[in-house]
Amino acid sequence: MQYLLNPDLPLHPRAPEGWKGNPFADKEFKYDRDPFRPDWTMVLKMLFTPNPLRAEKKADTWTPEVSADVTYLEDRERDWVVWLGHACFLMQFKGVRFLIDPQLTDMPFIPRRVFPPFSYEDIRGVDYLLLSHDHRDHVDKKCIRAIVANNPIRKILCPLRLSRTIGGWVGDTPIEEAAWYQQFDTEAAGVRITFLPSRHWCRRGLTDFNRSLWGSFMFEVLGAGTQGAEEVKGAKQTIYFGGDSAETSYWSEIGTMFPGIDVAMLGIGAYRPDFVMKENHANPAEAFQGFLDLKAKLWWPMHHGTYDLSNEPASEPIRWAERLMGEAGLENRLLQPAVNAPYYLV
């Protein structure tokens, strides 16, 4: 067994004791807990078993609201975060822009249900491109090629070995890969970014299971004089992007590593049927528990309403999340801005 990490990047000072990298053997990354391997028989069962929610799903035409106002793109002063649908976010901290998982178009056999008021070819001013894992609803060849061609990308930040997939698409744009618990080299931009675990998997073809790593990102917007500081208390804003993840004990551990998370972006869609999806994505109740485990101030649900990837009706995930937060008396801590509507950080 090998243990892989980027020797040029530091570990977070609160990384698990003895962490030496992600385990790798037989040409694939291995799990350190909750082992999983997709089973084609379960996929076939999903495809050929009638959906008990079929009629409800057909009648549910809900889509996320979309804001047509793009004036926030002219603002280089304030810090803001914008959801562009599914798991794609555009963030600005200290005038520096970060774009995450930019799948903004239709996929083969899966049309996009809602679009921001611009295409991936129109995006400008991005400084860093971040990719959480290799699945096609997060890493799209045409989108990435256009974004790299049209933007002054300083660096692409991604998991270990994802450059083997995207390297030929991005020319000489620098790619920086990280193992879990490693910190990317971005502090000069005033933002500390740590790559963290999620409970998921990777594959783009039939024979490349877990050839690259998967994970999540923590953004710490640094206050004056905190560059190079080891303690997370130097951050003035802490934003967690959970990537794709099933329910996991990593969330509580991340919450301990990063006390005072301001916003937790956790997926709530693509969870039915349970026998296929439970190892892939959290349902809203599981994501709600993740929000509590992370001890975040605000929960921003994502990964819903944009693509039809599973059996639940379109509006079920967000309605379920709203109900859970309301029952807990936390409705004022649920963020759900419209697609393309900026959330301004203070």
Side-chain angles (χ1 to χ4, degrees):
M1 182 79 71
Q2 295 177 274
Y3 293 88
L4 303 183
L5 47 68
N6 184 339
D8 297 325
L9 297 180
L11 285 175
H12 188 279
R14 295 180 185 170
E17 185 176 356
W19 178 257
K20 52 187 178 181
N22 287 95
F24 186 86
D26 303 321
K27 299 183 179 180
E28 64 184 52
F29 285 95
K30 304 297 182 179
Y31 296 98
D32 68 336
R33 65 185 75 166
D34 302 319
F36 165 70
R37 198 173 196 93
D39 187 336
W40 287 110
T41 63
M42 292 295 98
V43 176
L44 292 173
K45 181 180 177 182
M46 174 183 173
L47 293 175
F48 292 103
T49 299
N51 178 7
L53 297 174
R54 180 177 181 275
E56 184 179 351
K57 179 176 177 178
K58 185 176 180 180
D60 190 339
T61 59
W62 176 87
T63 58
E65 181 184 353
V66 178
S67 170
D69 186 356
V70 295
T71 56
Y72 70 88
L73 293 170
E74 301 170 7
D75 180 357
R76 281 281 184 174
E77 298 300 319
R78 289 182 288 179
D79 292 352
W80 43 256
V81 180
V82 175
W83 182 44
L84 298 180
H86 201 53
C88 181
F89 286 84
L90 180 62
M91 307 179 179
Q92 178 171 285
F93 307 126
K94 297 186 173 184
V96 180
R97 291 187 180 171
F98 303 82
L99 180 64
I100 308 176
D101 287 0
Q103 171 54 287
L104 293 172
T105 188
D106 295 338
M107 295 188 291
F109 309 108
I110 306 175
R112 189 173 167 110
R113 302 177 67 246
V114 61
F115 293 84
F118 47 78
S119 77
Y120 63 86
E121 294 178 333
D122 299 322
I123 293 176
R124 297 292 187 276
V126 175
D127 298 288
Y128 290 91
L129 175 61
L130 292 86
L131 306 172
S132 66
H133 67 291
D134 74 356
H135 284 161
R136 294 175 188 270
D137 57 326
H138 296 255
V139 170
D140 180 79
K141 184 176 182 178
K142 288 183 178 179
C143 288
I144 290 173
R145 275 185 163 173
I147 288 162
V148 168
N150 296 332
N151 291 269
I153 303 293
R154 303 183 194 181
K155 198 181 299 183
I156 297 171
L157 311 179
C158 65
L160 293 177
R161 300 205 170 190
L162 189 56
S163 62
R164 299 185 179 201
T165 297
I166 68 170
W169 309 347
V170 301
D172 58 359
T173 303
I175 302 173
E176 188 167 270
E177 299 180 337
W180 290 352
Y181 307 110
Q182 288 197 289
Q183 296 174 323
F184 292 102
D185 183 15
T186 60
E187 288 198 16
V191 182
R192 182 188 300 133
I193 303 175
T194 306
F195 193 58
L196 293 167
S198 71
R199 183 182 171 194
H200 203 56
W201 55 289
C202 285
R203 184 166 64 197
R204 291 178 68 85
L206 296 176
T207 62
D208 59 345
F209 178 72
N210 284 359
R211 295 288 175 88
S212 61
L213 190 58
W214 59 94
S216 58
F217 297 98
M218 189 70 78
F219 296 80
E220 297 172 85
V221 184
L222 302 176
T226 62
Q227 278 85 342
E230 289 190 348
E231 293 297 322
V232 296
K233 64 185 179 183
K236 68 173 187 176
Q237 289 284 344
T238 304
I239 312 293
Y240 178 60
F241 172 81
D244 272 9
S245 184
E247 183 180 27
T248 178
S249 57
Y250 291 125
W251 286 332
S252 61
E253 295 168 13
I254 290 168
T256 299
M257 282 182 67
F258 295 86
I261 296 171
D262 292 286
V263 180
M265 300 158 173
L266 295 176
I268 61 168
Y271 52 83
R272 293 187 190 274
D274 183 77
F275 64 79
V276 171
M277 296 298 185
K278 187 171 180 60
E279 305 289 345
N280 296 275
H281 306 125
N283 67 32
E286 293 164 339
F288 171 68
Q289 185 59 52
F291 160 68
L292 298 178
D293 290 346
L294 287 160
K295 302 179 180 65
K297 297 174 186 174
L298 300 169
W299 177 22
W300 193 331
M302 63 169 182
H303 203 272
H304 67 287
T306 309
Y307 294 105
D308 181 2
L309 299 175
S310 54
N311 284 356
E312 71 269 8
S315 68
E316 182 183 85
I318 194 61
R319 305 302 177 219
W320 190 353
E322 289 173 338
R323 184 174 71 252
L324 290 166
M325 292 292 273
E327 290 170 352
L330 300 174
E331 57 269 21
N332 63 337
R333 293 170 59 182
L334 181 68
L335 286 180
Q336 46 178 327
V339 171
N340 191 56
Y343 173 73
Y344 289 97
L345 303 173
V346 294

